Amino acid sequence: MKPHDEIDSYRCVRADAREPEGYRAVLGEAKASFLHTDPPYCLLTRRRKGGDLRDPRANKKIDRNPIVRFETVRDYRAFTEAWMTRAVAHLTPDATLAIWTNLLGKEPILAVARSLGYGHLRGEYVWGKRTTDKNANEQLLRVYEVALVLSRTPEPPLDPAGLPTVWAVVGGYDDDAEAARWGNHPHHKPFSVLEPLVRTWSRPGDRVLDPFAGSGSMPAAALRLGRQPACLEVEPEWAERVTRRLRETASELARGAGSRPEINTPADKVSATGNHR
Ligand SMILES: C[S@@+](CC[C@H](N)C(=O)[O-])C[C@H]1O[C@@H](n2cnc3c(N)ncnc32)[C@H](O)[C@@H]1O
């Protein structure tokens, strides 16, 4: 196995998160101290009465469809068991897991994590996603994705001098225009949504593992916050795009251009494009 200092941490490896090779390629013999990932959501196959698929949308764009569907919640649990067992073998014993999921995926993820020793749910981080609702006097927030934060150990006693832990955030799908720049992945997350999780549950210099990189929001956030990303993605087009994204992010940081992106205001976005997801 390669020592970690020979590994290119700006490369997203094309690999299946259920198999061992990808983890070896991105980590070598090193361990990550934070698993921050966004696996396929627990979406079930939709069928008509006759049994044929109701929603055969796929392969429309240059990218193959990154959305995976499962026949049953039990299948989703088996998928979760397969990838999570591999991933936790590459973590330090005190690592924290922050796993994004839709609401149906919560129970299978918690059950598998518990069976692997991550029995302490430290909390549920909620993203209130701004909708495009055009009522001028109110803004609706939609909760579709949450991140479950899990550890092997219970929460330490409350430190009266400590900083608060952030458990909720509000943001639009593409507040920082990074989704548009990197392929509009349907499950892109803006930096402002990821930043509190990365800052709270890892330290600068830590290795952060994401076996389901998609368009790379999580590894890019880790890099911008001085962590070392280690990521996999099964679709070759997306894996290549993440590698380009990490390389460009690294050169922007080297030029001192990696500052916080300007947030587009909801009003601008709704009137300009109306394309919040
Ligand atoms: C929820 S998305 C991740 C989105 C990502 N956080 C972003 O910001 O763009 C899940 C990703 O996992 C990928 N994927 C699905 N099955 C996989 C597998 N077995 N191994 C690795 N990646 C997989 C999909 O192609 C998809 O891009």
Side-chain angles (χ1 to χ4, degrees):
M1 226 187 274
K2 279 193 178 183
H4 186 264
D5 51 10
E6 285 177 20
I7 286 172
D8 174 359
S9 42
Y10 305 147
R11 184 164 82 101
C12 177
V13 168
R14 194 258 130 206
D16 188 322
R18 295 166 292 181
E19 304 296 336
E21 294 80 14
Y23 297 95
R24 288 199 214 115
V26 294
L27 283 167
E29 45 199 35
K31 305 255 182 203
S33 44
F34 183 37
L35 173 80
H36 185 201
T37 196
D38 190 14
Y41 297 146
C42 187
L43 297 171
L44 302 184
T45 311
R46 295 193 291 224
R47 292 187 185 282
R48 287 182 228 274
K49 276 207 179 114
D52 53 324
L53 286 178
R54 195 145 60 91
D55 185 19
R57 275 178 299 161
N59 303 327
K60 281 223 178 114
K61 293 200 283 174
I62 58 152
D63 305 295
R64 270 179 280 156
N65 191 350
I67 293 181
V68 183
R69 287 193 179 268
F70 298 84
E71 287 292 326
T72 62
V73 175
R74 185 184 292 201
D75 288 353
Y76 185 73
R77 186 177 164 147
F79 175 81
T80 304
E81 208 158 2
W83 75 259
M84 209 191 289
T85 306
R86 294 280 183 211
V88 300
H90 295 271
L91 300 179
T92 58
D94 59 346
T96 305
L97 321 181
I99 304 176
W100 286 87
T101 174
N102 64 341
L103 303 187
L104 195 57
K106 274 166 50 173
E107 196 285 323
I109 289 175
L110 289 172
V112 173
R114 208 178 308 118
S115 75
L116 294 170
Y118 293 81
H120 295 276
L121 176 64
R122 304 288 285 272
E124 190 175 304
Y125 179 80
V126 178
W127 175 14
K129 211 187 246 185
R130 265 193 239 102
T131 67
T132 41
D133 212 60
K134 299 231 172 71
N135 185 332
N137 286 320
E138 66 176 352
Q139 181 90 61
L140 294 183
L141 301 178
R142 188 169 159 251
V143 176
Y144 174 59
E145 291 138 307
V146 298
L148 304 172
V149 178
L150 295 143
S151 66
R152 285 184 182 277
T153 48
E155 193 160 350
L158 191 65
D159 171 8
L163 293 170
T165 305
V166 178
W167 288 114
V169 65
V170 169
Y173 164 74
D174 195 16
D175 277 355
D176 52 13
E178 288 278 292
R181 187 175 167 199
W182 296 109
N184 283 316
H185 193 292
H187 298 125
H188 160 85
K189 311 272 177 302
F191 178 74
S192 55
V193 166
L194 303 177
E195 183 184 6
L197 276 178
V198 179
R199 285 191 189 277
T200 307
W201 303 105
S202 66
R203 302 268 71 82
D206 282 357
R207 287 185 198 95
V208 181
L209 175 62
D210 179 6
F212 298 98
S215 63
S217 316
M218 268 142 229
L223 188 60
R224 291 179 62 189
L225 292 167
R227 280 73 171 163
Q228 300 179 59
C231 58
L232 318 177
E233 161 62 46
V234 80
E235 295 292 350
E237 297 89 344
W238 287 106
E240 275 165 32
R241 190 174 281 148
V242 176
T243 299
R244 267 189 283 125
R245 181 170 181 179
L246 292 177
R247 295 199 198 295
E248 281 187 32
T249 303
S251 37
E252 282 164 14
L253 289 168
R255 292 199 310 271
S259 57
R260 191 179 296 281
E262 239 172 66
I263 302 270
N264 299 326
T265 65
D268 288 346
K269 295 209 73 180
V270 170
S271 57
T273 64
N275 73 348
H276 282 299
R277 298 198 178 195

